[in-house]
Amino acid sequence: MHQNAHQDLLVRAKTWQAEDPDSETREELGRLIDSGDPRDLADLAERFAGTLQFGTAGLRGELGAGPMRMNRAVVIRAAAGLAAYLKDTGAGAGLVVIGYDARYKSAEFARDTAAVMTGAGLRAAVLPRPLPTPVLAFAVRHLGAVAGVEVTASHNPPRDNGYKVYLGDGSQIVPPADAEIAARIAAVGALETVARPDSGWEVLGDEILAAYLARTDAVLTPGSPRTARTVHTALHGVGTETLLAAFARAGFPAPVLVPEQAEPDPAFPTVAFPNPEEPGAMDLAYATANKAASDAPLHSPSPSPGIDLIIANDPDADRCAVAVPDPAAEAGWRMLRGDEVGALLAAHLVAKGARGTFAASIVSSSLLGRIAAAAGVGYAETLTGFKWIARAEGLRYGYEEALGYCVDPEGVRDKDGITAALLVAEAASELKESGRTVQALLDDLAVAHGLHATDQLSVRVQDLSLIAEAMRRLREHPPVELAGLRVTSAEDLTEGTETLPPTDGLRYHLEGTYRARVIVRPSGTEPKLKCYLEVVVPVTDAATLPAARDVADGVLASLKRDVAEAAGI
């Protein structure tokens, strides 16, 4: 590093350190400043290479000192910018509700946000303890707040934290609000100019959780069967207490907990990544379910002493994963894809007479559109993320393949892993009472609408330029054939479509022996390039399903290979 650049870096780092309100990150920065190790200097330079950008996912990043990390200084600036935006847009002395998960620093970030809002003349209310994100999203609508903030990094690695913003309708922010808030964050001066009183905000009591739990009743049909037996894992997150209360209130058998993962632990010690989709994350749940079955009394009064479902929430409990018994699977269980759960819930709601708009993101299976058309209900396709799904006109049900389901948009206008779990358990109970299984219903949908098989190619990178290079390569050299199927249309979604606003993504439709679709996009929350694959194989009857699945598996494997080659990944 050039001497002048080195000196400039040290000046900026010392200036930041001097106003950092957190002794821990001040000391961390001091060690890097004083170290003569070139690796520490490179680390310091990376932390001051820019600022953590506020976008439609709010803030999310690794904990640590400096403007490119999540820390109290960054959060205070973000809160001050949000407060300025709210006041500039007419919120006046409105209420801001603040929730937080159990990650490192979450409680401190929530308190700092409450202090900044109070200092800016807004009213602030903080949830009573770490609770699921859907409780915060519910509270925004229930309390008539002008905004909500949830401190969470969802299913990111333990070293991360984040800052998610909701506006008054209970939906996450979308453009142009994100850019307008970001501009006000950038305009925040020295931290000493940001008023942060030591008190003045409200800490809500358990009545807000009670109101949320009372609302969960709305997703179930009065008098419906409630017999499904479940295993539940919170993956070291905050979902256990709320899910147990919701299941007890609804009259389901108490879920069997995965003991190693039931209590909040920000270290997430039993999983490589606290995401049900990641390899190995469900292993303890499978073992718990198998043990519960083997421990059941031989002459149990229960008609099914074993376990019918495994339900997993991610750490902030806004997502819901489901596994079903499968004798052919190594552990005896198969985790359903998000698209399968999405179709299951849609079919269940349709059978209950649900009306309104069914919505899914563009990366989710096109099966939802088929189900909606057959039922005569509206269907909307949106950009990725519940910030878009929640805005579908007349929304009754929305989902995205990444395990997110909105089954009560009037209560929670976001994905909700608690109410989704209740509705899955109700669907499984009704099937169980009629001597059928979840898999049997999914088979029926395949026969009725064709086998919609989906998969994903996801590449995590250290160097973000690799993602930009892959997107550039695909734009400059678009594929004409993938998996032996002709590319019939190639859309650059940065230009938007008749129904979608612009986004960084590419969409290909393919036809040949089968129909297929490929979407390639950078992740909005992680350093990943994601490729979403779907193939539709016609099915004449249940007997042809196994062969159709074999065909679909082969096409998806070929798509993975060919897309990776085309993108250079």
Side-chain angles (χ1 to χ4, degrees):
M1 181 180 292
H2 190 275
Q3 184 64 27
N4 289 344
H6 181 218
Q7 287 304 120
D8 177 64
L9 172 62
L10 292 180
V11 168
R12 286 187 289 128
K14 289 177 180 177
T15 301
W16 182 278
Q17 182 190 29
E19 67 170 12
D20 189 337
D22 190 327
S23 60
E24 187 177 323
T25 45
R26 278 201 312 271
E27 291 172 8
E28 178 185 323
L29 206 50
R31 288 193 296 272
L32 294 174
I33 291 170
D34 296 337
S35 172
D37 190 323
R39 291 171 297 183
D40 288 337
L41 180 60
D43 185 6
L44 190 66
E46 193 276 326
R47 292 168 186 249
F48 284 84
T51 57
L52 205 57
Q53 291 301 299
F54 187 95
T56 50
L59 293 169
R60 195 174 289 186
E62 185 178 346
L63 290 163
M68 288 290 288
R69 297 285 187 270
M70 280 295 296
N71 52 64
R72 289 184 62 199
V74 164
V75 165
I76 289 166
R77 290 180 180 278
L82 174 59
Y85 169 82
L86 293 172
K87 296 182 75 173
D88 290 348
T89 53
L95 174 67
V96 178
V97 188
I98 302 150
Y100 58 103
D101 65 13
R103 284 177 177 266
Y104 296 119
K105 299 287 186 180
S106 286
E108 293 94 323
F109 293 167
R111 186 186 186 282
D112 282 330
T113 300
V116 171
M117 295 300 162
T118 303
L122 291 144
R123 292 183 294 125
V126 183
L127 295 188
R129 58 187 173 279
L131 287 168
T133 292
V135 178
L136 181 277
F138 165 82
V140 174
R141 292 174 69 83
H142 181 70
L143 298 175
V146 297
V149 171
E150 176 71 13
V151 181
T152 180
S154 189
H155 56 283
N156 276 38
R159 64 179 182 274
D160 289 1
N161 213 327
Y163 198 83
K164 184 184 293 187
V165 175
Y166 296 81
L167 292 181
D169 65 348
S171 301
Q172 296 179 50
I173 55 170
V174 295
D178 57 341
E180 292 170 359
I181 295 169
R184 287 165 175 82
I185 293 171
V188 174
L191 285 191
E192 63 184 16
T193 67
V194 178
R196 286 184 291 130
D198 292 329
S199 61
W201 57 88
E202 179 184 3
V203 177
L204 297 169
D206 280 346
E207 70 280 354
I208 191 65
L209 180 58
Y212 167 81
L213 289 169
R215 179 73 202 187
T216 63
D217 295 347
V219 308
L220 300 175
T221 302
S224 63
R226 312 280 168 91
T227 56
R229 293 173 55 81
T230 57
V231 160
H232 176 256
T233 175
L235 288 183
H236 303 294
V238 298
T240 299
E241 173 198 7
T242 306
L243 183 129
L244 288 180
F247 269 57
R249 183 184 179 94
F252 286 103
V256 177
L257 300 181
V258 178
E260 302 92 336
Q261 299 173 333
E263 295 301 318
D265 187 336
F268 304 105
T270 68
V271 289
F273 287 94
N275 180 351
E277 296 176 295
E278 293 287 345
M282 297 286 284
D283 287 355
L284 283 172
Y286 298 154
T288 300
N290 291 333
K291 183 176 187 301
S294 65
D295 288 350
L298 189 60
H299 301 291
S300 169
S302 167
S304 177
I307 299 298
D308 301 301
L309 291 173
I310 296 173
I311 291 171
N313 291 125
D314 67 337
D316 68 329
D318 62 352
R319 299 173 194 243
C320 176
V322 177
V324 296
D326 183 353
E330 183 178 350
W333 292 86
R334 182 176 78 86
M335 183 168 144
L336 301 181
R337 292 191 171 277
D339 286 318
E340 292 178 298
V341 178
L344 165 69
L345 289 174
H348 183 63
L349 287 167
V350 162
K352 296 291 185 181
R355 311 304 295 172
T357 299
F358 282 32
S361 61
I362 58 172
V363 300
S364 302
S365 173
S366 57
L367 176 57
L368 184 67
R370 298 286 189 93
I371 294 171
V377 300
Y379 172 68
E381 185 181 63
T382 76
L383 292 185
T384 306
F386 267 83
K387 57 184 176 284
W388 298 109
I389 294 171
R391 286 173 164 76
E393 187 174 349
L395 181 67
R396 173 59 185 87
Y397 166 65
Y399 97 91
E400 63 180 357
E401 54 75 42
L403 310 182
Y405 315 95
C406 174
V407 299
D408 177 27
E410 292 307 307
V412 175
R413 213 159 188 83
D414 196 9
K415 55 185 177 289
D416 182 347
I418 305 297
T419 50
L422 285 172
L423 202 62
V424 167
E426 180 184 61
S429 296
E430 293 193 349
L431 289 164
K432 179 180 179 179
E433 294 301 300
S434 61
R436 305 186 75 232
T437 64
V438 168
Q439 186 59 57
L441 176 58
L442 294 174
D443 290 350
D444 289 349
L445 292 174
V447 171
H449 305 293
L451 176 65
H452 289 62
T454 58
D455 203 351
Q456 186 181 133
L457 172 64
S458 182
V459 181
R460 184 181 292 271
V461 301
Q462 294 292 326
D463 181 358
L464 289 176
S465 70
L466 296 176
I467 294 177
E469 171 58 25
M471 296 297 289
R472 182 198 64 77
R473 177 170 172 157
L474 288 169
R475 287 188 170 103
E476 292 182 359
H477 305 285
V480 296
E481 185 180 279
L482 295 167
L485 303 174
R486 183 170 56 91
V487 177
T488 57
S489 72
E491 298 170 279
D492 188 340
L493 299 177
T494 55
E495 301 167 5
T497 71
E498 288 185 5
T499 57
L500 298 172
T503 188
D504 186 7
L506 298 164
R507 178 165 61 178
Y508 307 101
H509 286 99
L510 304 98
E511 287 188 9
T513 310
Y514 311 103
R515 289 188 298 110
R517 184 206 65 197
V518 173
I519 295 174
V520 184
R521 59 178 284 271
S523 170
T525 57
E526 297 177 272
K528 287 182 176 180
L529 181 70
K530 291 189 170 184
C531 310
Y532 302 85
L533 319 171
E534 179 181 51
V535 60
V536 182
V537 179
V539 179
T540 55
D541 54 41
T544 62
L545 262 174
R549 290 197 174 95
D550 288 342
V551 168
D553 288 346
V555 175
L556 289 171
S558 296
L559 280 175
K560 271 189 178 181
R561 181 194 64 233
D562 291 356
V563 170
E565 183 178 345
I569 54 174

